[in-house]
mmCIF file of all heavy atoms in Angstrom:
data_model
loop_
_atom_site.group_PDB
_atom_site.id
_atom_site.type_symbol
_atom_site.label_atom_id
_atom_site.label_comp_id
_atom_site.label_asym_id
_atom_site.label_seq_id
_atom_site.Cartn_x
_atom_site.Cartn_y
_atom_site.Cartn_z
ATOM 1 N N GLU A 194 -93.641 18.105 -75.110
ATOM 2 C CA GLU A 194 -92.359 18.787 -75.269
ATOM 3 C C GLU A 194 -92.409 19.706 -76.490
ATOM 4 O O GLU A 194 -92.944 19.359 -77.568
ATOM 5 C CB GLU A 194 -91.264 17.745 -75.462
ATOM 6 C CG GLU A 194 -89.864 18.350 -75.601
ATOM 7 C CD GLU A 194 -88.801 17.270 -75.874
ATOM 8 O OE1 GLU A 194 -89.183 16.083 -75.945
ATOM 9 O OE2 GLU A 194 -87.622 17.614 -76.005
ATOM 10 N N THR A 197 -88.114 21.969 -81.532
ATOM 11 C CA THR A 197 -87.450 23.039 -82.255
ATOM 12 C C THR A 197 -86.953 22.650 -83.640
ATOM 13 O O THR A 197 -86.555 23.510 -84.407
ATOM 14 C CB THR A 197 -86.218 23.563 -81.450
ATOM 15 O OG1 THR A 197 -85.254 22.514 -81.373
ATOM 16 C CG2 THR A 197 -86.644 23.993 -80.045
ATOM 17 N N LYS A 198 -86.988 21.361 -83.931
ATOM 18 C CA LYS A 198 -86.400 20.884 -85.183
ATOM 19 C C LYS A 198 -87.059 21.533 -86.420
ATOM 20 O O LYS A 198 -86.337 21.933 -87.370
ATOM 21 C CB LYS A 198 -86.479 19.372 -85.291
ATOM 22 C CG LYS A 198 -85.604 18.784 -86.417
ATOM 23 C CD LYS A 198 -84.124 19.027 -86.151
ATOM 24 C CE LYS A 198 -83.615 18.214 -84.991
ATOM 25 N NZ LYS A 198 -82.189 18.376 -84.736
ATOM 26 N N GLN A 201 -85.512 24.926 -86.788
ATOM 27 C CA GLN A 201 -84.131 24.848 -87.238
ATOM 28 C C GLN A 201 -84.011 24.569 -88.693
ATOM 29 O O GLN A 201 -83.226 25.214 -89.422
ATOM 30 C CB GLN A 201 -83.428 23.699 -86.460
ATOM 31 C CG GLN A 201 -83.229 23.911 -84.956
ATOM 32 C CD GLN A 201 -82.573 22.732 -84.295
ATOM 33 O OE1 GLN A 201 -81.617 22.193 -84.830
ATOM 34 N NE2 GLN A 201 -83.097 22.324 -83.164
ATOM 35 N N THR A 227 -87.395 28.722 -71.385
ATOM 36 C CA THR A 227 -86.103 29.364 -71.571
ATOM 37 C C THR A 227 -85.085 28.450 -72.295
ATOM 38 O O THR A 227 -84.374 28.887 -73.176
ATOM 39 C CB THR A 227 -85.522 29.781 -70.191
ATOM 40 O OG1 THR A 227 -86.463 30.650 -69.533
ATOM 41 C CG2 THR A 227 -84.197 30.522 -70.383
ATOM 42 N N ALA A 228 -85.093 27.201 -71.916
ATOM 43 C CA ALA A 228 -84.171 26.248 -72.535
ATOM 44 C C ALA A 228 -84.453 26.082 -74.020
ATOM 45 O O ALA A 228 -83.532 25.961 -74.822
ATOM 46 C CB ALA A 228 -84.272 24.871 -71.827
ATOM 47 N N VAL A 229 -85.746 26.130 -74.402
ATOM 48 C CA VAL A 229 -86.113 25.991 -75.830
ATOM 49 C C VAL A 229 -85.686 27.224 -76.577
ATOM 50 O O VAL A 229 -85.126 27.135 -77.702
ATOM 51 C CB VAL A 229 -87.650 25.763 -75.934
ATOM 52 C CG1 VAL A 229 -88.071 25.800 -77.411
ATOM 53 C CG2 VAL A 229 -88.046 24.468 -75.298
ATOM 54 N N LYS A 230 -85.874 28.375 -75.989
ATOM 55 C CA LYS A 230 -85.458 29.638 -76.621
ATOM 56 C C LYS A 230 -83.919 29.648 -76.834
ATOM 57 O O LYS A 230 -83.450 30.055 -77.891
ATOM 58 C CB LYS A 230 -85.893 30.824 -75.769
ATOM 59 C CG LYS A 230 -85.584 32.178 -76.380
ATOM 60 C CD LYS A 230 -86.072 33.355 -75.549
ATOM 61 C CE LYS A 230 -87.578 33.510 -75.663
ATOM 62 N NZ LYS A 230 -88.025 34.786 -75.090
ATOM 63 N N GLU A 231 -83.186 29.182 -75.824
ATOM 64 C CA GLU A 231 -81.716 29.133 -75.953
ATOM 65 C C GLU A 231 -81.281 28.141 -77.015
ATOM 66 O O GLU A 231 -80.285 28.379 -77.717
ATOM 67 C CB GLU A 231 -81.110 28.797 -74.596
ATOM 68 C CG GLU A 231 -81.234 29.904 -73.571
ATOM 69 C CD GLU A 231 -80.749 29.517 -72.179
ATOM 70 O OE1 GLU A 231 -80.477 28.309 -71.977
ATOM 71 O OE2 GLU A 231 -80.614 30.399 -71.314
ATOM 72 N N LYS A 232 -82.002 27.067 -77.154
ATOM 73 C CA LYS A 232 -81.672 26.053 -78.140
ATOM 74 C C LYS A 232 -81.863 26.630 -79.566
ATOM 75 O O LYS A 232 -81.034 26.421 -80.432
ATOM 76 C CB LYS A 232 -82.515 24.813 -77.925
ATOM 77 C CG LYS A 232 -82.153 23.613 -78.833
ATOM 78 C CD LYS A 232 -82.969 22.412 -78.489
ATOM 79 C CE LYS A 232 -82.559 21.212 -79.333
ATOM 80 N NZ LYS A 232 -83.349 20.015 -79.040
ATOM 81 N N ILE A 233 -82.996 27.307 -79.749
ATOM 82 C CA ILE A 233 -83.268 27.942 -81.045
ATOM 83 C C ILE A 233 -82.201 28.998 -81.335
ATOM 84 O O ILE A 233 -81.686 29.096 -82.473
ATOM 85 C CB ILE A 233 -84.682 28.568 -81.070
ATOM 86 C CG1 ILE A 233 -85.744 27.474 -81.011
ATOM 87 C CG2 ILE A 233 -84.873 29.438 -82.314
ATOM 88 C CD1 ILE A 233 -87.158 27.983 -80.873
ATOM 89 N N SER A 234 -81.828 29.790 -80.313
ATOM 90 C CA SER A 234 -80.795 30.785 -80.495
ATOM 91 C C SER A 234 -79.479 30.147 -80.942
ATOM 92 O O SER A 234 -78.820 30.631 -81.875
ATOM 93 C CB SER A 234 -80.591 31.519 -79.171
ATOM 94 O OG SER A 234 -79.391 32.250 -79.159
ATOM 95 N N MET A 235 -79.104 29.052 -80.291
ATOM 96 C CA MET A 235 -77.812 28.419 -80.611
ATOM 97 C C MET A 235 -77.800 27.829 -82.014
ATOM 98 O O MET A 235 -76.819 28.001 -82.769
ATOM 99 C CB MET A 235 -77.532 27.304 -79.586
ATOM 100 C CG MET A 235 -76.213 26.559 -79.789
ATOM 101 S SD MET A 235 -75.873 25.433 -78.477
ATOM 102 C CE MET A 235 -77.266 24.299 -78.517
ATOM 103 N N PHE A 236 -78.833 27.134 -82.381
ATOM 104 C CA PHE A 236 -78.838 26.442 -83.691
ATOM 105 C C PHE A 236 -79.253 27.331 -84.858
ATOM 106 O O PHE A 236 -79.039 26.961 -86.029
ATOM 107 C CB PHE A 236 -79.754 25.256 -83.639
ATOM 108 C CG PHE A 236 -79.180 24.055 -82.876
ATOM 109 C CD1 PHE A 236 -79.564 23.757 -81.583
ATOM 110 C CD2 PHE A 236 -78.220 23.242 -83.472
ATOM 111 C CE1 PHE A 236 -79.037 22.682 -80.903
ATOM 112 C CE2 PHE A 236 -77.666 22.194 -82.798
ATOM 113 C CZ PHE A 236 -78.061 21.904 -81.492
ATOM 114 N N CYS A 237 -79.801 28.493 -84.566
ATOM 115 C CA CYS A 237 -80.296 29.357 -85.667
ATOM 116 C C CYS A 237 -79.456 30.617 -85.796
ATOM 117 O O CYS A 237 -79.833 31.549 -86.512
ATOM 118 C CB CYS A 237 -81.762 29.705 -85.453
ATOM 119 S SG CYS A 237 -82.822 28.233 -85.592
#
Side-chain angles (χ1 to χ4, degrees):
E194 183 184 0
T197 65
K198 193 65 70 178
Q201 292 178 44
T227 302
V229 174
K230 183 178 286 193
E231 290 174 349
K232 187 175 182 181
I233 292 173
S234 165
M235 179 173 60
F236 283 102
C237 295

